[in-house]
Amino acid sequence: MWRSVARRSSQVRRLLSTSAPPAGPLATVPAPCIVQKRGNDILNDPWYNKDTAFPLTERDRLGLRGLLPPRVMSFEQQYERFINSYRSLEKNTRGEPDSIVALAKWRILNRLHDRNETLYFRVLIDNIKDLAPVIYTPTVGLVCENYSGLFRRPRGMYFTAKDKGEMMSMIYNWPQEKVDMIVVTDGSRILGLGDLGVQGIGIPIGKLDLYVAAAGINPQKVLPVIIDVGTNNEKLLEDNLYLGLRQPRLEGEEYMAVVDEFMEAVHARWPQAVVQFEDFQMKWAFETLERYRNRFCMFNDDVQGTAGVALAGLLGAVRAQGRPLHDFTSQKIVVAGAGSAGIGVLSMAKQEMSRMLAKTGEEGHNQFWVLDKNGLITKDRKDLDPAVANFARGHGPNEIPDLHEGASLVEVVRKVKPHVLLGLSGVGGIFNEEVLKAMKESDSPRPAIFAMSNPTTKAECTPEDVFKHVGENAIFASGSPFSNVSLGNDDMLQAGAECLASYITDDEIQKGILFPEVSSIRHITARVGAAVVRAAVAEDLAEGCRTVGPKELGSMSESQTVEYVARNMWYPIYSPLVNNK
Ligand SMILES: NC(=O)C1=CN([C@@H]2O[C@H](COP(=O)(O)OP(=O)(O)OC[C@H]3O[C@@H](n4cnc5c(N)ncnc54)[C@H](O)[C@@H]3O)[C@@H](O)[C@H]2O)C=CC1
Ligand SMILES: CC(=O)C(=O)O
Ligand SMILES: [Mg+2]
């Protein structure tokens, strides 16, 4: 999961301190890599392929002599060559419509990804700020919408309703022995773009690319997955070129049986793999989370991951007002969107408030006003989902008089005068001029506006709108590249969120900077990762890895844990290849 803060350019600057852990490889001599292939099979495998950079000795060893042009290029020369082609493409497409340029950039990167993973990830890591929006939101939305037409080569695995009874054997078709991280979607709610069926596979692919680049996950051990149970998108069903099942979505027990079989198959082959659920429509997001969270190593990123990062932003907003963190418990928060993401954020914010209040023994109140497509949600609403009912406004003495069921956003903002206005509605532009002008009357000296819906066209407002209508002092955050590596349960998420929030200095906070600069993301993920490891150890949930067990993790100091995490991050360098066929 990733996002960052949008700010006026005058406020943008690099944030990292020099004491951050190293982002590059720790060993200068890479360990050899045993390869079972020879000749063309190596050139056609993007994981082993080095293109023109195979040294002559390796060409001899691996049966490559004569299969490549004679000149041996260095990694650096290959890198420069690619960057030059990328820059030429930028130059040549100047003035073209944004979507054409975005897809052209995505294509050139995708071709490199299909050919040479090591070079692809080095390019991505070194240019993360420029390229994250190409491999993830907003371009990934466009890619998903056009996936069937753009398709050239498969990536990841495709499980469908027609594979019932076969998944346990299908899972062994994946060529890698070991998988650590799976991102899976059923394509039912892709960003704010709705049901895109099988075309939603672009999301797991893009997210995993970010995890490799930002968090140092080994790309050989990740698996993007789509579970295709059909689509209710009429346009796709009528499209002859659509690559998914052309049938309406399975529902109820039939749907659940397919996802159950997939989870059992994954667990049978890789019992320790983390399975991240992504972009499932709300009902399935919550149902699968409840169903699997205690049986499998899984989490839902839209519900839990978003909450972790949003909480870090909410805590940052309190600091930006020059108030102690404890004052978070009295922040008035209006949320537009009561879906998987909105309810996830609200639940975590409520937990954090309760935790803070428990320390001082104070009593808390409902600090949230939640709206969905039918306006303000109150206890008068019929057929309320239990997850949403927790946040419905009632009729008690702490309620604002005449804020009725279904009240409009502008009415709610005018009457509540919230400290924070948060959008996770999937509807572009709903924080319009009227709503933003109402935010000017906020009880906070620095009103915070979080327009978190993706892709960009679905953001509730732009930063320009905010600074124009709310004022110079406003704080703005949006959904854009930033990675979160928090896994599993809520305490670990909380630790990650608090670490992220604490990473920003008071000076930066005063300038309205709530999240660190994305170009230095590897340094930050090492620290957030270490905070999560320490929380897992404290909860007795850490399993460790190879020779480092929970005991060793528990005896590490904070800085040793950061160093341990940084040392275990994958970094793209060519390893000497040794044949074993
Ligand atoms: N920036 C980030 O980190 C993340 C952003 N998102 C974005 O959040 C959006 C919503 O995601 P989900 O909650 O999973 O979707 P969802 O479909 O589960 O929920 C959408 C909610 O918005 C409400 N809504 C629709 N129109 C509205 C309006 N005019 N005013 C107020 N509420 C309205 C719906 O009634 C529903 O409660 C998507 O655009 C997604 O891309 C989701 C996860 C992470
Ligand atoms: C960022 C994300 O997870 C979403 O927009 O769904
Ligand atoms: Mg998502």
Side-chain angles (χ1 to χ4, degrees), residues 90-131:
E90 281 184 321
K91 208 167 126 207
N92 296 337
T93 52
R94 211 162 280 155
E96 300 276 347
D98 287 352
S99 60
I100 304 276
V101 179
L103 285 180
K105 288 181 176 176
W106 177 82
R107 272 200 205 88
I108 182 175
L109 280 165
N110 192 48
R111 281 199 300 270
L112 180 63
H113 196 184
D114 283 344
R115 201 181 69 237
N116 182 334
E117 295 230 6
T118 314
L119 185 56
Y120 171 75
F121 282 112
R122 179 67 79 84
V123 166
L124 201 52
I125 289 169
D126 288 358
N127 302 277
I128 188 79
K129 191 169 175 183
D130 281 353
L131 300 186

Side-chain angles (χ1 to χ4, degrees), residues 136 189 191 203 207 278-279 301-302:
Y136 199 59
R189 192 286 279 149
L191 307 176
I203 292 291
K207 280 227 159 159
E278 188 69 52
D279 289 9
D301 188 44
D302 298 295

Side-chain angles (χ1 to χ4, degrees), residues 3 189 191-192 302 306 338-341 372-373 425-427 452 454 479:
R3 37 243 139 287
R189 192 286 279 149
L191 307 176
D302 298 295
T306 310
S340 43
D372 67 0
K373 61 179 183 299
S425 65
V427 186
M452 292 184 73
N454 292 321

Side-chain angles (χ1 to χ4, degrees), residues 522-538:
R522 279 205 161 209
H523 298 272
I524 297 147
T525 48
R527 285 181 189 278
V528 174
V532 173
V533 168
R534 289 173 73 75
V537 170

Side-chain angles (χ1 to χ4, degrees), residues 1-3 189-193 207 278-282 301-302 306 336-342 371-375 409 423-427 430 452-455 458 460 478-480:
M1 185 194 62
W2 44 280
R3 37 243 139 287
R189 192 286 279 149
I190 294 301
L191 307 176
L193 303 168
K207 280 227 159 159
E278 188 69 52
D279 289 9
F280 282 68
Q281 60 182 305
M282 180 174 171
D301 188 44
D302 298 295
T306 310
S340 43
L371 296 93
D372 67 0
K373 61 179 183 299
N374 299 315
L409 182 59
L424 281 162
S425 65
V427 186
I430 58 167
M452 292 184 73
S453 290
N454 292 321
K458 304 291 176 187
E460 284 78 7
S478 63
S480 54

Side-chain angles (χ1 to χ4, degrees), residues 12-28:
V12 176
R13 61 195 182 85
R14 291 178 72 87
L15 301 176
L16 276 166
S17 72
T18 47
S19 60
L26 289 177
T28 42

Side-chain angles (χ1 to χ4, degrees), residues 266-512:
V266 164
H267 189 68
R269 185 164 181 202
W270 302 295
Q272 289 185 316
V274 176
V275 184
Q276 170 177 329
F277 278 56
E278 188 69 52
D279 289 9
F280 282 68
Q281 60 182 305
M282 180 174 171
K283 64 177 176 184
W284 296 128
F286 284 117
E287 177 135 3
T288 49
L289 185 56
E290 282 320 304
R291 193 175 178 94
Y292 302 134
R293 64 183 297 162
N294 294 322
R295 270 170 67 202
F296 302 114
C297 185
M298 61 82 66
F299 72 105
N300 183 298
D301 188 44
D302 298 295
V303 178
Q304 297 168 289
T306 310
V309 173
L311 178 60
L314 291 172
L315 295 175
V318 179
R319 285 176 68 202
Q321 292 162 19
R323 298 166 67 178
L325 270 192
H326 183 82
D327 282 8
F328 178 56
T329 56
S330 56
Q331 293 268 296
K332 292 183 286 181
I333 302 174
V334 168
V335 180
S340 43
I343 294 301
V345 171
L346 283 160
S347 306
M348 196 151 172
K350 190 173 163 189
Q351 268 175 40
E352 179 73 11
M353 284 184 184
S354 309
R355 215 171 56 86
M356 288 176 165
L357 289 166
K359 281 190 191 157
T360 53
E362 289 164 273
E363 207 189 309
H365 300 293
N366 181 358
Q367 295 297 120
F368 309 103
W369 285 260
V370 188
L371 296 93
D372 67 0
K373 61 179 183 299
N374 299 315
L376 181 69
I377 298 172
T378 68
K379 295 199 189 312
D380 295 336
R381 179 79 64 99
K382 303 273 177 301
D383 300 326
L384 255 191
D385 186 294
V388 183
N390 281 330
F391 301 96
R393 301 305 308 193
H395 301 286
N398 294 314
E399 295 297 332
I400 295 171
D402 55 86
L403 253 189
H404 55 91
E405 162 61 35
S408 71
L409 182 59
V410 69
E411 206 178 334
V412 174
V413 171
R414 276 192 190 131
K415 290 188 175 147
V416 174
K417 302 186 190 309
H419 299 82
V420 180
L421 173 62
L422 197 150
L424 281 162
S425 65
V427 186
I430 58 167
F431 295 171
N432 56 26
E433 185 174 340
E434 217 185 350
V435 171
L436 292 176
K437 282 188 170 154
M439 271 308 279
K440 218 177 153 88
E441 307 306 317
S442 153
D443 280 344
S444 165
R446 304 202 63 183
I449 291 95
F450 290 61
M452 292 184 73
S453 290
N454 292 321
T456 317
T457 49
K458 304 291 176 187
E460 284 78 7
C461 63
T462 66
E464 288 79 17
D465 296 337
V466 168
F467 296 119
K468 183 166 163 206
H469 300 305
V470 187
E472 294 276 302
N473 224 20
I475 294 161
F476 175 79
S478 63
S480 54
F482 193 83
S483 184
N484 183 324
V485 293
S486 311
L487 309 177
N489 95 0
D490 296 334
D491 283 357
M492 287 185 258
L493 277 167
Q494 208 107 14
E498 285 174 12
C499 171
L500 196 54
S502 72
Y503 208 68
I504 308 295
T505 65
D506 286 344
D507 186 40
E508 284 146 4
I509 282 285
Q510 288 318 314
K511 293 192 166 83

